[in-house]
Amino acid sequence: YKITTCERINRVCTCNQTCTSTAPTNLSVTQGASNGSATIAWRSGTNGASQRVYVGTTQAAVDSGCTTGTCIVNASITPLSANINYTYPVTGLASNTQYFFRVVTYENSSCTPGITTSYTTPNLSLSGRVYLDENNNCETTPWSLGGLTVTVRETAYSGSVGSDGRFAFYGGVSNPINYLDLAGYSTTYVPSTATGCSVGATLTSVANPSSTNYFYLTPRREAWWQAVGASVYAGGNVRSELPTANTNLIEVGSGGAIGALMRASGTVDTGVGSVSTDGYSATTRYRGKIMNYDYFAAHMGVTPNTINDWVADTMNKPANDPNKVFYYINPSGSEASVSTPWTVAAGESYVIFVNGDLRIASNIVVANGGFLAFIVNGSVRVSPAVTDVAGIYVIDNTLITESNGGTDVAANFQGSVVAWRGVNLGRDLVAGNLNQAGEKFTYRADLLNNMPDSMKVFALKWEEVVPGTFGQ
C-alpha cells in the first residue's frame, strides 16, 4: 500500500493601500512687497484630504515634512479643492538667503505627492515714498493717486509707486534714483519747492532729492502778477490768477498807499483773489497825452544827430555827470543791453534814451535818493535770470519778461512801468506760484521826487466820468 503524507502550508498576505491623490503643479515664488516677504502660487492636485505647505532653508527639512531641520512655515490648508489655483503669503524671510518651498497633496501619512522649488531672497537696495504736498510746505500725506513710476539709473530699473506712495527696489540697485516719472500728472502736479523738500525738476521728471528718496508733489498753480501801492491801467482785459482768497492784485504800499484797477474795456479775472482790499476798479478810457519816446525826446532835446554815449551795444553804467541832461544809444544790432549789474547810488541821476529795443540781462538797483529812467523806442526784454529791475520805464512797444522754460525766478520791478503796446509776462514759478507772484510791480514815490527838472512835465487832466462806472 501507499502511504500519503499531507502538509498544511500557512501563508501571510499583506495588503498595500493604493495612493489615488496627485501632486500640485505649477509651483512658483514671487517677490513680495519687501525683501522679507514672498508669495507662493500653485495649482492643487486631486483626491487628497488637505494640502501642506513647507518652507525652510534646507531641502531635507521640507522634503521630510519638517520632521527634521527647521522650517519657517509648516501649514495645512483644508479642505482640498482639486485643480484650483492657490496662493500663500510668506513673511519673515531673511535677505539674500536661499529658501526651499514644498507643497504636497496630503492623502495619508504614507501618501503625500508633492512639488518643491527654491528661491533666493534679494537684498533691499532702495526704498522711498511719494508725498502729496497740497500746500507746498513739505506735507507728508501719502500719494494715493497712482500713475507714477520711479526710475533708477534711467532705464536699468523702474517700478510703480504703490497706493500708499511707497516704492522699493531689490537686488543690486544702488543710488541714485534718477527721476520720478510724472507722465500724466505733469500738467496738474509739480515738485514742491518749500525749504526742506525741494527737488530739481524738468517738465516730466523729478530728480532724486536725497539719499532718503522722498518725493513731494504739489498741485500746479498758474503764474500770476501783482502791483503794490499804485494803480494799474490796461487797454483791455486784465487777468492774474491769484492762488488764494487772501491775495490781492493790488496790495497796499508803503505808508498805506492804495491803488485802483482801471481799464479801457474788457473783463477782470483775479482767480480766487480780489482786486484789492478796497476793491477800487473802474472802466475808463485814458485821455491824457501819449508820453512816449518821441514825446520825451522832443521835450529833452534828443535829435537824429545825437551821438551815442556807448561805443558798443552793451551798456555799462557810466560815471555820473551831474551836468549831463540825458544819455543816448542807437544800437547797431538788434538791441542794446544792460549785461552787467547797475547800482544807482543816492545823488546819482540817469535819463537814458534807447532808440531801439533794450534787453535787461543783469539786475538794476536804484538806492533811495537816486534816479534812473529808461525811455525806449521799442520793446524791453528782461532775461530769465534777472530778479530786480528798478527805475522808471517808458516803453513804446512791449514789456516782456522771459522764462527759462522750467522753474523761473520772480522778477521784482520797483518804480513805474508804462508799456504803450502792452505787457507779456512769462515768469512761471511752478510750485512757487502758490506763495509768490512771478512779477511784482512796486511803486516808489521817491523816484518821482528825485526826477530831474528837465524830464518833468505837467500833464494832469481832470474829467468827470459817467456815474456808476467807478466801483466794484
Side-chain angles (χ1 to χ4, degrees), residues 274-432:
S274 304
V275 168
S276 65
T277 301
D278 297 294
Y280 295 145
S281 177
T283 301
T284 178
R285 185 166 59 87
Y286 177 71
R287 295 175 175 85
K289 295 181 180 180
I290 305 300
M291 292 185 289
N292 56 9
Y293 179 93
D294 288 341
Y295 178 89
F296 283 103
H299 179 73
M300 299 184 70
V302 178
T303 69
N305 297 321
T306 300
I307 298 174
N308 279 347
D309 288 290
W310 288 270
V311 296
D313 291 349
T314 300
M315 304 165 62
N316 293 322
K317 175 176 169 285
N320 186 246
D321 182 353
N323 297 316
K324 195 170 180 65
V325 176
F326 62 82
Y327 297 80
Y328 174 83
I329 184 170
N330 184 11
S332 59
S334 60
E335 59 188 13
S337 66
V338 175
S339 298
T340 56
W342 280 37
T343 299
V344 177
E348 295 184 336
S349 181
Y350 296 89
V351 178
I352 300 166
F353 286 85
V354 180
N355 191 14
D357 293 335
L358 171 65
R359 173 172 292 278
I360 299 175
S362 286
N363 287 346
I364 299 175
V365 178
V366 180
N368 288 329
F371 180 81
L372 173 65
F374 278 95
I375 302 171
V376 181
N377 186 20
S379 293
V380 172
R381 293 181 177 272
V382 181
S383 295
V386 173
T387 58
D388 296 287
V389 181
I392 294 175
Y393 293 82
V394 178
I395 305 165
D396 275 17
N397 202 341
T398 308
L399 170 68
I400 303 166
T401 57
E402 295 180 334
S403 170
N404 63 18
T407 300
D408 294 315
V409 293
N412 295 298
F413 293 82
Q414 293 193 356
S416 299
V417 175
V418 177
W420 289 100
R421 295 287 183 87
V423 296
N424 186 348
L425 305 180
R427 298 293 173 90
D428 187 351
L429 309 186
V430 192

Side-chain angles (χ1 to χ4, degrees), residues 33 181 233 268 283 383 438:
D181 185 3
Y233 181 84
V268 175
T283 301
S383 295

Side-chain angles (χ1 to χ4, degrees), residues 225-233 249-254 256-262 275-276 280 413 415-417 441-445 448:
W225 58 272
Q226 185 180 57
V228 179
S231 296
V232 173
Y233 181 84
L249 178 65
I250 303 175
E251 290 286 6
V252 176
S254 177
I258 60 175
L261 174 61
M262 296 171 286
V275 168
S276 65
Y280 295 145
F413 293 82
S416 299
V417 175
F441 300 86
T442 302
Y443 177 66
R444 281 181 53 176
L448 293 183

